[in-house]
Amino acid sequence: MSVATMNIMAERCYIGLGANLTEPVAQLKRAVAALALLPATQLRQVSQFYSSKPMGPQDQPDYVNAVAAIDTVLTPQQLLAALQKIEQQQGRERKAERWGPRTLYFDILLYGQLQLNTPQLTLPHYGMKVREFVLYPLAELSPALQLPDGTTLTNLLSQVPLNGLQPLPLEAHSALCDRAQADS
Ligand code: ROI
């Protein structure tokens, strides 16, 4: 069955992307290209790429962050596994250090309106309400978004300052992102 014929069942998901090691902009571009190839999934939109100050330990490089919107019929667990595979392909090593620097990683921020609490996955993402590097890119894609608990993105944005978050120049934004936006 093609994705087109499965649209009724597809869930709109928002994925956070971040990296602060080994050419983070290139990492995010490759990550977007990989998202576009996920099975049973359509990449709909990608935010601008943003430079952001590290949350947590400050003795690490600034991050590059973005948010992507996908429609998928993968289950949350299948999506998580597929994203972890891409992270590994892009050199992610899971280290003991909490909140240390990292090559590409994905966070599933929202999976439709699903609320889930399992050891592997918490939905919505546990930290998304307070992270400027998630909220502002997300607002680019879906300014009227409401979380499953009824919180509006507008309300969250009014409480979370930019903290130095800055869109990167447009050339950092891959042609693939533009195509996803044009198609959506
Ligand atoms: N800080 C920023 N700005 N962006 C991130 O993606 C990010 N990711 C992390 C921690 C270490 C929490 N800090 C971050 O995992």
Side-chain angles (χ1 to χ4, degrees):
M1 206 170 14
S2 78
V3 175
T5 61
M6 296 193 287
N7 261 349
I8 298 166
M9 299 179 289
E11 291 285 354
R12 168 55 56 96
C13 303
Y14 293 95
I15 313 290
L17 294 77
N20 73 341
L21 291 180
T22 332
E23 299 193 63
V25 169
Q27 296 263 357
L28 259 67
K29 285 188 187 181
R30 280 175 62 202
V32 168
L35 286 179
L37 295 176
L38 281 177
T41 301
Q42 287 189 317
L43 176 62
R44 294 297 188 191
Q45 273 186 298
V46 183
S47 73
Q48 296 180 88
F49 290 0
Y50 289 82
S51 157
S52 67
K53 300 283 163 219
M55 176 187 168
Q58 296 297 297
D59 58 342
Q60 56 178 324
D62 285 356
Y63 279 78
V64 177
N65 287 110
V67 170
I70 60 170
D71 290 327
T72 189
V73 296
L74 297 177
T75 64
Q77 292 75 17
Q78 288 171 330
L79 179 60
L80 180 66
L83 296 177
Q84 286 175 344
K85 198 166 149 195
I86 300 170
E87 289 176 342
Q88 279 162 15
Q89 282 164 351
Q90 291 196 211
R92 178 163 182 194
E93 291 169 29
R94 289 182 182 269
K95 300 212 178 94
E97 183 192 1
R98 186 164 184 255
W99 284 8
R102 48 220 291 204
T103 54
L104 172 77
Y105 77 92
F106 295 108
D107 282 331
I108 305 177
L109 304 170
L110 291 164
Y111 183 98
Q113 290 292 303
L114 183 68
Q115 302 190 63
L116 185 72
N117 220 322
T118 68
Q120 293 76 32
L121 194 56
T122 300
L123 292 167
H125 184 272
Y126 73 97
M128 68 171 288
K129 286 183 171 178
V130 296
R131 296 185 175 185
E132 71 282 356
F133 54 87
V134 168
L135 296 175
Y136 288 88
L138 187 55
E140 253 185 63
L141 306 188
S142 186
L145 191 78
Q146 271 203 355
L147 271 51
D149 68 0
T151 316
T152 63
L153 193 51
T154 320
N155 186 36
L156 293 170
L157 287 167
S158 72
Q159 295 169 43
V160 177
L162 279 165
N163 189 29
L165 186 77
Q166 270 193 337
L168 289 168
L170 265 184
E171 51 277 21
H173 198 225
S174 78
L176 259 174
C177 307
D178 299 337
R179 205 168 317 134
Q181 261 157 10
D183 290 348
S184 62

